[in-house]
Amino acid sequence: MRVHQIAWAAVIIGVGLVVATSVRAGAQAADRLIGTWTLDPAQSKFSQGTGPKSLVLTFESTPDGLKYLSDLVAPDGQTSREAFTAKTDGKDYPVAGLPFDTVAMSTQGNVRTRVDKKAGKVVMTYNGTLSADGRTLTVHQTGVDQQGQAVDNTVVFVRKI
Protein backbone atom coordinates (compact mmCIF):
# COMPACT_ATOMS: atom_id res chain seq x y z
CA MET A 1 0.00 0.00 0.00
CA ARG A 2 2.91 2.38 0.71
CA VAL A 3 4.03 2.15 -2.94
CA HIS A 4 0.49 3.09 -4.05
CA GLN A 5 0.52 6.11 -1.74
CA ILE A 6 3.89 7.24 -3.06
CA ALA A 7 2.64 6.91 -6.63
CA TRP A 8 -0.43 9.02 -5.83
CA ALA A 9 1.73 11.59 -4.07
CA ALA A 10 3.76 11.88 -7.27
CA VAL A 11 0.55 12.42 -9.27
CA ILE A 12 -0.64 15.08 -6.83
CA ILE A 13 2.65 16.92 -6.80
CA GLY A 14 2.96 16.60 -10.58
CA VAL A 15 -0.43 18.07 -11.24
CA GLY A 16 0.25 20.87 -8.80
CA LEU A 17 3.53 21.79 -10.37
CA VAL A 18 2.03 21.76 -13.85
CA VAL A 19 -0.56 24.19 -12.61
CA ALA A 20 2.15 26.21 -10.88
CA THR A 21 3.77 26.96 -14.22
CA SER A 22 1.05 29.48 -14.93
CA VAL A 23 2.31 31.92 -12.31
CA ARG A 24 4.78 34.55 -13.46
CA ALA A 25 6.20 37.49 -11.54
CA GLY A 26 3.88 40.46 -11.75
CA ALA A 27 0.99 38.41 -13.15
CA GLN A 28 0.18 36.31 -10.12
CA ALA A 29 -3.02 38.11 -9.10
CA ALA A 30 -4.51 37.75 -12.58
CA ASP A 31 -3.74 34.03 -12.98
CA ARG A 32 -6.90 32.09 -13.79
CA LEU A 33 -5.59 29.02 -11.96
CA ILE A 34 -5.51 30.66 -8.55
CA GLY A 35 -8.26 29.04 -6.47
CA THR A 36 -9.54 25.53 -5.81
CA TRP A 37 -9.84 22.67 -8.33
CA THR A 38 -11.47 19.26 -7.90
CA LEU A 39 -10.81 16.01 -9.74
CA ASP A 40 -13.42 14.96 -12.30
CA PRO A 41 -13.07 11.17 -11.98
CA ALA A 42 -15.51 10.44 -14.82
CA GLN A 43 -13.33 12.36 -17.30
CA SER A 44 -9.95 11.21 -15.92
CA LYS A 45 -8.06 8.10 -17.01
CA PHE A 46 -5.30 6.36 -15.04
CA SER A 47 -3.04 3.80 -16.73
CA GLN A 48 -2.25 1.95 -13.50
CA GLY A 49 -5.72 1.23 -12.18
CA THR A 50 -8.31 3.11 -10.26
CA GLY A 51 -7.86 6.80 -9.62
CA PRO A 52 -8.34 8.47 -6.25
CA LYS A 53 -11.77 8.82 -4.66
CA SER A 54 -11.13 12.55 -4.55
CA LEU A 55 -8.36 15.05 -5.18
CA VAL A 56 -8.62 18.76 -4.40
CA LEU A 57 -5.93 21.25 -5.42
CA THR A 58 -5.72 24.76 -4.00
CA PHE A 59 -3.44 27.48 -5.39
CA GLU A 60 -2.55 30.79 -3.79
CA SER A 61 -0.28 33.54 -5.05
CA THR A 62 2.60 34.44 -2.70
CA PRO A 63 5.67 36.66 -3.02
CA ASP A 64 7.79 33.48 -3.27
CA GLY A 65 5.73 31.91 -6.08
CA LEU A 66 2.67 29.75 -6.04
CA LYS A 67 1.55 28.08 -2.83
CA TYR A 68 0.19 24.63 -3.65
CA LEU A 69 -1.94 22.40 -1.44
CA SER A 70 -3.46 19.06 -2.38
CA ASP A 71 -5.81 16.84 -0.41
CA LEU A 72 -6.18 13.29 -1.68
CA VAL A 73 -8.49 10.43 -0.70
CA ALA A 74 -7.07 7.19 -2.13
CA PRO A 75 -9.28 4.35 -3.42
CA ASP A 76 -8.85 2.58 -0.05
CA GLY A 77 -9.95 5.69 1.87
CA GLN A 78 -6.51 6.72 3.11
CA THR A 79 -5.87 10.46 3.00
CA SER A 80 -2.76 12.47 2.26
CA ARG A 81 -1.87 16.13 2.02
CA GLU A 82 0.95 17.79 0.09
CA ALA A 83 1.98 21.44 0.32
CA PHE A 84 4.80 23.52 -1.16
CA THR A 85 5.61 26.84 -2.80
CA ALA A 86 7.32 26.90 -6.21
CA LYS A 87 8.66 29.47 -8.68
CA THR A 88 8.02 28.99 -12.39
CA ASP A 89 10.74 30.18 -14.75
CA GLY A 90 11.65 27.08 -16.78
CA LYS A 91 14.87 26.33 -14.86
CA ASP A 92 15.64 23.11 -12.97
CA TYR A 93 15.05 23.52 -9.24
CA PRO A 94 16.08 21.05 -6.55
CA VAL A 95 13.20 19.39 -4.67
CA ALA A 96 13.41 17.63 -1.30
CA GLY A 97 11.37 14.73 0.00
CA LEU A 98 9.93 13.77 -3.40
CA PRO A 99 10.62 10.84 -5.74
CA PHE A 100 12.59 13.14 -8.08
CA ASP A 101 15.53 15.53 -7.55
CA THR A 102 14.62 18.54 -9.70
CA VAL A 103 11.64 20.08 -11.44
CA ALA A 104 11.47 22.54 -14.35
CA MET A 105 8.26 24.39 -15.17
CA SER A 106 7.24 26.62 -18.09
CA THR A 107 4.18 28.26 -19.59
CA GLN A 108 3.14 28.95 -23.16
CA GLY A 109 -0.35 30.38 -23.51
CA ASN A 110 -2.84 28.03 -21.86
CA VAL A 111 -0.33 25.14 -21.76
CA ARG A 112 1.75 24.46 -18.66
CA THR A 113 4.66 22.03 -18.78
CA ARG A 114 6.53 20.40 -15.94
CA VAL A 115 9.50 18.03 -16.20
CA ASP A 116 10.70 15.94 -13.23
CA LYS A 117 14.24 14.60 -13.19
CA LYS A 118 16.03 12.13 -10.96
CA ALA A 119 19.84 12.05 -11.17
CA GLY A 120 19.59 14.27 -14.26
CA LYS A 121 17.27 11.88 -16.13
CA VAL A 122 13.69 12.82 -17.07
CA VAL A 123 11.29 10.54 -15.18
CA MET A 124 7.95 12.30 -15.65
CA THR A 125 6.50 14.99 -17.89
CA TYR A 126 3.22 16.83 -17.30
CA ASN A 127 1.44 18.95 -19.90
CA GLY A 128 -1.58 20.80 -18.54
CA THR A 129 -4.05 22.72 -20.66
CA LEU A 130 -6.51 25.24 -19.24
CA SER A 131 -9.77 25.44 -21.16
CA ALA A 132 -10.67 28.70 -22.91
CA ASP A 133 -13.41 29.39 -20.37
CA GLY A 134 -11.03 28.77 -17.43
CA ARG A 135 -13.28 26.12 -15.88
CA THR A 136 -11.39 22.92 -16.78
CA LEU A 137 -7.76 21.88 -16.44
CA THR A 138 -6.63 18.75 -18.29
CA VAL A 139 -3.23 17.33 -17.36
CA HIS A 140 -1.51 14.64 -19.45
CA GLN A 141 1.14 12.85 -17.39
CA THR A 142 3.69 10.53 -19.02
CA GLY A 143 6.82 8.84 -17.78
CA VAL A 144 7.93 6.07 -15.46
CA ASP A 145 6.99 5.68 -11.79
CA GLN A 146 9.31 4.61 -8.97
CA GLN A 147 8.61 0.94 -9.69
CA GLY A 148 9.62 1.32 -13.35
CA GLN A 149 6.02 1.09 -14.57
CA ALA A 150 4.98 3.25 -17.52
CA VAL A 151 2.57 6.06 -16.62
CA ASP A 152 0.15 7.60 -19.10
CA ASN A 153 -2.57 9.45 -17.19
CA THR A 154 -5.10 12.07 -18.22
CA VAL A 155 -6.27 13.92 -15.11
CA VAL A 156 -9.16 16.37 -15.46
CA PHE A 157 -10.00 19.02 -12.88
CA VAL A 158 -12.89 21.48 -12.66
CA ARG A 159 -12.81 24.83 -10.92
CA LYS A 160 -14.59 24.79 -7.60
CA ILE A 161 -17.01 27.67 -7.37
Side-chain angles (χ1 to χ4, degrees):
M1 182 47 64
R2 179 74 177 138
V3 170
H4 185 70
Q5 290 173 330
I6 291 170
W8 278 114
V11 169
I12 294 168
I13 292 167
V15 170
L17 289 175
V18 166
V19 174
T21 63
S22 67
V23 176
R24 292 182 182 260
Q28 291 176 356
D31 193 296
R32 295 184 308 151
L33 289 170
I34 300 299
T36 302
W37 297 82
T38 58
L39 174 69
D40 182 342
Q43 299 298 315
S44 298
K45 295 177 184 164
F46 297 91
S47 63
Q48 295 183 12
T50 307
K53 285 185 178 181
S54 72
L55 176 54
V56 177
L57 306 176
T58 305
F59 302 93
E60 177 185 331
S61 175
T62 75
D64 295 325
L66 185 71
K67 182 178 179 182
Y68 164 79
L69 173 68
S70 68
D71 287 300
L72 172 91
V73 179
D76 64 2
Q78 291 189 20
T79 61
S80 64
R81 175 174 266 198
E82 299 285 341
F84 60 85
T85 301
K87 291 187 179 186
T88 58
D89 61 6
K91 298 177 184 176
D92 284 342
Y93 284 92
V95 204
L98 302 174
F100 49 91
D101 303 318
T102 65
V103 63
M105 301 175 287
S106 60
T107 301
Q108 186 171 22
N110 282 346
V111 177
R112 280 71 173 163
T113 300
R114 175 188 148 201
V115 177
D116 297 346
K117 296 178 184 174
K118 184 162 184 92
K121 181 180 175 186
V122 173
V123 293
M124 200 69 68
T125 300
Y126 305 83
N127 288 301
T129 303
L130 181 63
S131 65
D133 65 6
R135 295 180 182 168
T136 305
L137 174 67
T138 303
V139 178
H140 188 218
Q141 175 192 19
T142 57
V144 179
D145 68 12
Q146 290 179 288
Q147 293 71 43
Q149 299 289 320
V151 174
D152 188 356
N153 298 328
T154 301
V155 188
V156 179
F157 293 88
V158 294
R159 181 180 297 282
K160 187 175 178 181
I161 299 175

